[in-house]
Amino acid sequence: MAFSSSCSSVKAVNSRWASPSPSPSSRFAVIPAFLHRRYATSVKLTATSAALKTVEQTTLTENNKFSTVGSDSDEYNPTLPKPRILVAEKLGEAGVLLLREFGDVDCSYDLSPEDLKKKVAESDALIVRSGTKVTREVFEAAKGRLKVVGRAGVGIDNVDLQAATEHGCLVVNAPTANTVAAAEHGIALLASMARNVAQADASIKAGKWERSKYVGVSLVGKTLAVMGFGKVGTEVARRAKGLGMNVISHDPYAPADRARALGVDLVSFDQAISTADFVSLHMPLTPATKKVFNDETFSKMKKGVRLINVARGGVIDEDALVRALDAGIVAQAALDVFCEEPPSKDSKLIQHENVTVTPHLGASTKEAQEGVAIEIAEAVAGALRGELSATAVNAPMVDPEVLSELTPYIVLAEKLGRLAVQLASGGKGVQSIRVVYRSARNRDDLDTRLLRAMITKGIIEPISDSYVNLVNADFIAKQKGLRISEERMVVDSSPEYPVDSIQVQILNVESNFAGAVSDSGDISIEGKVKYGVPHLTCVGSFGVDVSLEGNLILCRQVDQPGMIGQVGNILGEQNVNVNFMSVGRTVLRKQAIMAIGVDEEPEDKTLEKIGGVSAIEEFVFLKL
């Protein structure tokens, strides 16, 4: 059952804006720098805790004691030194030039594992192709400095994704630039294998003329099974249809409507391999696909099947393929990738007369090489700037349109998390968080992964030495024993906007500001986006309306005339600029909460003067 705050029925007074929603023209104006800590930024934490335990903070009480909590911002600063980018394998010149416009580029090729570990300790980004192994030891050697690994190509089996995630390092690839090149190479191998082009070429160059030996097979009317219906698989299917082939495919994650649009039938794995005349592999190398083409698989294939692999070498058990070739189950194979690259010279598979091989040339066209270089350079530079990459492989994949729509809410989510944890006092520490999203949209239309990650970031970073980003948010939360539950409530508001409000509750902890405790006994704050700017709209049971910019002072007071003037005068006398002020109350002339946004951090003596106002019962200063 979703929790509902009493704030929903309380109207804030003295608010600057009346509109509850961002204006269409400006709601995307706030661009978050949330993905990575900036490469030369030193973040000072004024409250720390190794395991989300006690936050050293006090509240203004009858003795007028107070303290400030929070952390300094780590927003992007263009005056900081450029990031250092290590390019460990050959990259197209266009990509290198793009990287040099953004950072200091070190092109060091053929590094030994030890040399690579030394280099990454001084690097903010690493770019590799398929030949460099980025292992857990590499991430450990980086000691947290490495923020992004770029794989210039599609496959990422040479990068330890789990280790990258644990170390908060984003991994991006370049999956689109070489799609056509890989598909074209697959078709080239398919056609050349069917007509024995490589063998006939070698024969005639050896002075022979063996026309009868190299009679091929036609492609028209034959069935091609595309194993993996991703980008490359789709392009292969499209071209095979143009050659008059009947195309089927197996891919448990492929959308059926996309396959149908190309005239391709999605079938089971066993049906695909048992009915195909040609089998073309386009699947990633994962624990589930490693050596999936083995003796058992080959035994289920039609006798005389022909196999093409331009994906990953490890999906085939190469010894089993040799046995299938010798038994005549597989008539021919055309391979561009291998379990070990380069393969040994005496490999039985490489030397087999019915096997056509190329040295991993799938992406090796001039156009593809330049395209991959530019794509990976843009992804790496964007990640270092704090932008989400559509090609991130160890972070939630978010459609660019969805990301643009959620951007101001991402900022709101982090700031709510940061505020909520500063309102928690000592004791057993922060362990349970409840987040309530109110939206007019259906549950399935709201992807909350980004928002949850940023709430986690806001909660953990101010009170620990951990750095949290979208990549490692869930991992760090689990590691810290932080339980985050999410609830969604459908409300009667405009579905044009993804979220009406976000409420963050910290459960089962005491608060250093009693006014932040809701009727349920938990710390509760709520916020909305208005005109593209995050606003705090509810503290405990009190409705407020204050822009979450700069810093924030919350005062619980007796609801009486002159309070805004008294506090405003104190701040003005100390040259502290007020950017926003809002007062919320539940009952007339009883209690109220005054929320004051300030640009500067007030001195202790200024805060003491505010605490000295007789009608103010408690207050807290919060850093955003």
Side-chain angles (χ1 to χ4, degrees):
M1 179 173 139
F3 175 85
S4 177
S5 167
S6 59
C7 282
S8 59
S9 62
V10 179
K11 183 177 180 181
V13 297
N14 295 334
S15 19
R16 180 180 296 181
W17 307 114
S19 171
S21 304
S23 69
S25 61
S26 61
R27 59 191 167 122
F28 302 148
V30 182
I31 305 299
F34 55 80
L35 189 57
H36 289 293
R37 189 188 303 283
R38 298 306 163 189
Y39 31 82
T41 302
S42 174
V43 178
K44 179 180 71 177
L45 299 179
T46 57
T48 59
S49 169
L52 282 176
K53 295 298 180 183
T54 303
V55 181
E56 294 183 357
Q57 53 185 356
T58 56
T59 309
L60 179 68
T61 61
E62 293 179 354
N63 297 323
N64 290 340
K65 294 181 180 179
F66 63 88
S67 71
T68 61
V69 295
S71 67
D72 292 343
S73 172
D74 62 348
E75 295 295 305
Y76 174 63
N77 185 345
T79 65
L80 294 173
K82 289 184 175 182
R84 186 174 179 82
I85 303 169
L86 174 61
V87 180
E89 294 184 66
K90 184 69 176 177
L91 191 68
E93 187 62 25
V96 174
L97 290 174
L98 192 154
L99 290 170
R100 283 180 174 149
E101 292 178 0
F102 178 74
D104 295 326
V105 180
D106 175 11
C107 293
S108 296
Y109 308 146
D110 301 319
L111 294 172
S112 68
E114 290 304 315
D115 288 338
L116 178 62
K117 286 189 282 188
K118 291 178 182 178
K119 288 275 189 181
V120 296
E122 302 173 347
S123 302
D124 303 290
L126 168 66
I127 295 179
V128 300
R129 298 187 74 86
S130 60
T132 300
K133 303 295 183 184
V134 189
T135 62
R136 177 174 292 275
E137 289 72 24
V138 171
F139 290 107
E140 291 173 349
K143 298 180 179 178
R145 176 165 178 176
L146 193 63
K147 299 300 183 294
V148 57
V149 171
R151 163 66 167 95
V154 180
I156 40 81
D157 44 282
N158 57 318
V159 180
D160 189 328
L161 288 181
Q162 180 62 33
T165 300
E166 291 176 15
H167 288 81
C169 182
L170 185 71
V171 179
V172 296
N173 65 351
T176 60
N178 63 2
T179 296
V180 171
E184 288 177 345
H185 194 63
I187 293 295
L189 289 177
L190 170 73
S192 62
M193 174 180 61
R195 299 304 299 269
N196 299 303
V197 171
Q199 292 86 346
D201 174 75
S203 173
I204 200 169
K205 286 179 177 176
K208 302 176 183 178
W209 190 261
E210 301 175 295
R211 294 181 64 191
S212 60
K213 182 177 181 179
Y214 296 117
V215 175
V217 295
S218 179
L219 301 179
V220 174
K222 297 298 193 304
T223 297
L224 170 67
V226 177
M227 308 302 288
F229 203 65
K231 292 183 176 66
V232 177
T234 299
E235 293 301 321
V236 167
R238 193 190 310 275
R239 286 157 177 76
K241 291 291 288 184
L243 294 172
M245 301 187 78
N246 172 42
V247 182
I248 59 177
S249 179
H250 171 73
D251 188 325
Y253 307 107
D257 55 347
R258 178 158 61 88
R260 283 195 299 267
L262 293 176
V264 175
D265 293 327
L266 291 178
V267 298
S268 68
F269 183 89
D270 285 349
Q271 185 179 352
I273 62 173
S274 64
T275 59
D277 302 297
F278 293 81
V279 177
S280 187
L281 310 186
H282 304 285
M283 56 185 61
L285 178 60
T286 67
T289 63
K290 186 175 182 179
K291 293 187 177 181
V292 68
F293 287 89
N294 49 37
D295 287 314
E296 180 183 359
T297 307
F298 291 129
S299 68
K300 297 177 181 179
M301 291 184 174
K302 181 189 295 187
K303 188 176 179 62
V305 68
R306 287 168 170 81
L307 185 70
I308 306 100
N309 188 10
V310 294
R312 315 304 295 171
V315 300
I316 296 177
D317 181 334
E318 293 181 349
D319 292 335
L321 177 55
V322 171
R323 290 190 288 271
L325 285 161
D326 290 341
I329 297 173
V330 177
Q332 291 178 294
L335 311 173
D336 185 51
V337 289
F338 309 92
C339 292
E340 180 184 346
E341 294 184 1
S344 61
K345 295 180 180 179
D346 59 351
S347 166
K348 291 182 179 179
L349 181 63
I350 301 301
Q351 299 300 328
H352 202 287
E353 62 176 350
N354 292 328
V355 175
T356 301
V357 291
T358 53
H360 206 145
L361 298 179
S364 295
T365 65
K366 291 181 180 180
E367 295 82 0
Q369 292 298 299
E370 287 300 296
V372 166
I374 293 172
E375 184 176 7
I376 199 62
E378 289 177 342
V380 167
L384 288 173
R385 282 193 294 266
E387 301 168 2
L388 265 183
S389 171
T391 64
V393 295
N394 64 335
M397 298 298 290
V398 182
D399 185 273
E401 292 183 3
V402 174
L403 177 60
S404 295
E405 186 177 51
L406 284 179
T407 291
Y409 302 92
I410 290 168
V411 179
L412 171 66
E414 181 179 357
K415 292 194 173 186
L416 288 177
R418 190 173 292 274
L419 283 179
V421 77
Q422 292 181 65
L423 292 168
S425 62
K428 62 182 179 181
V430 177
Q431 295 179 331
S432 297
I433 307 292
R434 178 190 292 130
V435 182
V436 180
Y437 307 99
R438 292 178 173 83
S439 173
R441 296 185 180 180
N442 295 327
R443 292 175 179 269
D444 295 337
D445 293 336
L446 178 61
D447 187 341
T448 63
R449 293 173 299 174
L450 280 171
L451 302 177
R452 182 180 70 246
M454 300 320 294
I455 291 170
T456 304
K457 177 182 176 71
I459 289 171
I460 292 179
E461 282 195 351
I463 58 173
S464 92
D465 56 1
S466 296
Y467 170 63
V468 182
N469 61 18
L470 178 61
V471 176
N472 65 359
D474 288 343
F475 175 81
I476 294 293
K478 183 178 180 180
Q479 188 182 54
K480 298 290 187 184
L482 184 67
R483 297 182 297 275
I484 301 178
S485 63
E486 296 178 288
E487 299 174 5
R488 304 180 192 185
M489 294 184 63
V490 178
V491 295
D492 186 15
S493 63
S494 173
E496 179 182 356
Y497 308 110
V499 181
D500 180 73
S501 69
I502 301 174
Q503 182 182 36
V504 177
Q505 301 171 305
I506 300 182
L507 312 182
N508 305 318
V509 296
E510 295 179 359
S511 176
N512 62 1
F513 184 71
V517 178
S518 67
D519 295 340
S520 66
D522 302 312
I523 294 172
S524 177
I525 60 174
E526 188 171 335
K528 294 186 176 186
V529 170
K530 301 183 178 183
Y531 297 95
V533 178
H535 280 61
L536 181 67
T537 57
C538 187
V539 177
S541 299
F542 296 89
V544 296
D545 190 357
V546 60
S547 170
L548 292 177
E549 298 174 297
N551 301 302
L552 186 65
I553 301 172
L554 294 178
C555 303
R556 184 166 62 91
Q557 64 191 53
V558 176
D559 183 28
Q560 65 183 41
M563 295 302 299
I564 293 176
Q566 287 188 63
V567 175
N569 286 335
I570 292 172
L571 293 170
E573 289 171 359
Q574 302 300 320
N575 201 33
V576 176
N577 189 52
V578 175
N579 60 49
F580 233 108
M581 184 176 285
S582 172
V583 177
R585 63 190 182 189
T586 54
V587 181
L588 180 67
R589 297 282 182 164
K590 293 294 184 179
Q591 280 190 333
I593 281 187
M594 178 162 49
I596 309 164
V598 293
D599 293 332
E600 296 82 19
E601 180 177 344
E603 296 180 357
D604 289 354
K605 62 181 182 180
T606 304
L607 295 173
E608 288 173 354
K609 286 184 179 180
I610 293 174
V613 177
S614 60
I616 292 181
E617 299 174 346
E618 64 171 348
F619 84 92
V620 64
F621 173 73
L622 306 168
K623 281 188 171 185
L624 295 175

